Amino acid sequence: MVMHRKVLRAIALPFRAAWILILIVTFLLVSAACVLVAAFIGYAIALTFSYVFLPTEWTATLWQWAADLYDGSPWFKAATITFFVLLFLPILRLWPGRDPIADAAREREAVRLNDDLIAARRRGQL
C-alpha cells in the first residue's frame, strides 16, 4: 500500500507541477491586464483632473508627454492599441446596428419565395 502511494505520488508530481505553472502564468497574464486597465484609467483621471483644475499649459504638457511616450515606446504603443481595441470591440459589434423590422421583412420575403418555389415544383411534378 505504501509503494502504491509512492508510485501514485511520483506519477502525479509532473501534473501538479504543470498545473502550478499554468496557474502562475494565468495569474501573471491577468495581473498584467489589470495593471494595463488601471494605468489607462489612472491616466484618464489625470487628464480629466488636469482639464478641470490645472492650467492649460500643464494639460498640454501632459498630452505632449503621452504623445512622446507613444512615439518612443513600442510597448506603450502596443498597450494603447490593445486597450482601445478591447474597449471598442463591444461597441463595434453592435455598430452599425441592424434594423429588426427590415430583417423581419427580408425573412418573410425569403419564406414567401421559398414557399412559391416549393409550390411551383410540386405543380411541375404533377
Side-chain angles (χ1 to χ4, degrees):
M1 191 64 156
V2 174
M3 189 63 158
H4 175 68
R5 285 186 191 164
K6 286 184 179 181
V7 169
L8 189 60
R9 187 178 297 159
I11 291 173
L13 183 66
F15 293 108
R16 286 184 180 182
W19 180 246
I20 289 174
L21 285 175
I22 290 171
L23 290 177
I24 290 170
V25 168
T26 305
F27 173 75
L28 292 174
L29 289 174
V30 170
S31 297
C34 290
V35 166
L36 177 70
V37 170
F40 277 100
I41 289 173
Y43 186 67
I45 290 170
L47 277 179
T48 304
F49 179 79
S50 70
Y51 274 124
V52 175
F53 297 112
L54 299 178
T56 307
E57 297 83 23
W58 290 14
T59 303
T61 304
L62 193 60
W63 271 105
Q64 187 60 45
W65 171 78
D68 292 341
L69 187 59
Y70 187 84
D71 289 336
S73 172
W75 287 103
F76 186 75
K77 187 179 284 189
T80 304
I81 292 169
T82 302
F83 178 76
F84 282 107
V85 164
L86 293 176
L87 179 68
F88 289 123
L89 272 180
I91 296 169
L92 292 175
R93 183 181 56 185
L94 300 174
W95 180 83
R98 293 170 44 180
D99 185 16
I101 296 172
D103 288 346
R106 265 189 253 114
E107 182 69 28
R108 281 194 304 272
E109 181 66 19
V111 168
R112 187 188 64 77
L113 288 173
N114 195 26
D115 290 344
D116 291 347
L117 181 64
I118 291 171
R121 204 177 279 160
R122 284 184 183 163
R123 273 180 282 172
Q125 288 175 352
L126 293 176

